Amino acid sequence: QVQLVESGGGLVQAGGSLRLSCTASGGTFSTYGMGWFRQTPGKEREFVASIRWSGGNGDYADSVKGRFTISRDNTKNTVYLQMNSLKPEDTAVYYCAARPQGRAAYVYWGQGTQVTISA
């Protein structure tokens, strides 16, 4: 059973930075595509960023492009989300997710970490 554990959330002022981490256990992390999603109360979970199993530049939602950077370290079974120039509208619970090779959807999800940006 794959487990994903996020960390790094917190409260920061607008314009600040945070780095989220997501560490996987129980699976073959290096073969998974990884993604970050976020959700606010009353809204559907939305895509933030993703990265292929092999790494690379990643893909981003337009709302975070140029401010957020996704990366991974397969030796540590960890994916990161560096968030800069944070805005109050970035406030959400952030989730990481894993997509095994050959699967179209993200199968494994973390429990989420709260990110709150004050104006």
Side-chain angles (χ1 to χ4, degrees):
Q1 183 71 13
V2 176
Q3 289 189 322
L4 303 175
V5 179
E6 301 99 334
S7 61
L11 170 65
V12 297
Q13 289 186 328
S17 298
L18 281 174
R19 188 177 81 154
L20 305 183
S21 301
C22 171
T23 300
S25 61
T28 312
F29 178 81
S30 61
T31 67
Y32 300 151
M34 297 298 296
W36 286 97
F37 296 77
R38 65 188 183 187
Q39 189 171 23
T40 54
K43 292 189 176 181
E44 291 193 356
R45 194 171 298 185
E46 65 172 359
F47 168 78
V48 175
S50 65
I51 189 167
R52 291 181 293 276
W53 66 271
S54 56
N57 292 333
D59 295 302
Y60 299 90
D62 288 342
S63 58
V64 306
K65 203 171 291 185
R67 300 188 297 121
F68 290 11
T69 303
I70 189 171
S71 62
R72 67 188 296 158
D73 185 342
N74 287 346
T75 67
K76 297 181 178 180
N77 288 357
T78 300
V79 62
Y80 304 98
L81 186 68
Q82 178 66 45
M83 306 187 294
N84 298 329
S85 302
L86 284 161
K87 305 175 181 180
E89 50 264 43
D90 294 319
T91 295
V93 177
Y94 283 71
Y95 299 88
C96 72
R99 181 171 56 84
Q101 285 186 351
R103 301 291 292 269
Y106 288 88
V107 174
Y108 306 110
W109 292 84
Q111 82 289 347
T113 186
Q114 177 70 47
V115 171
T116 304
I117 312 304
S118 62

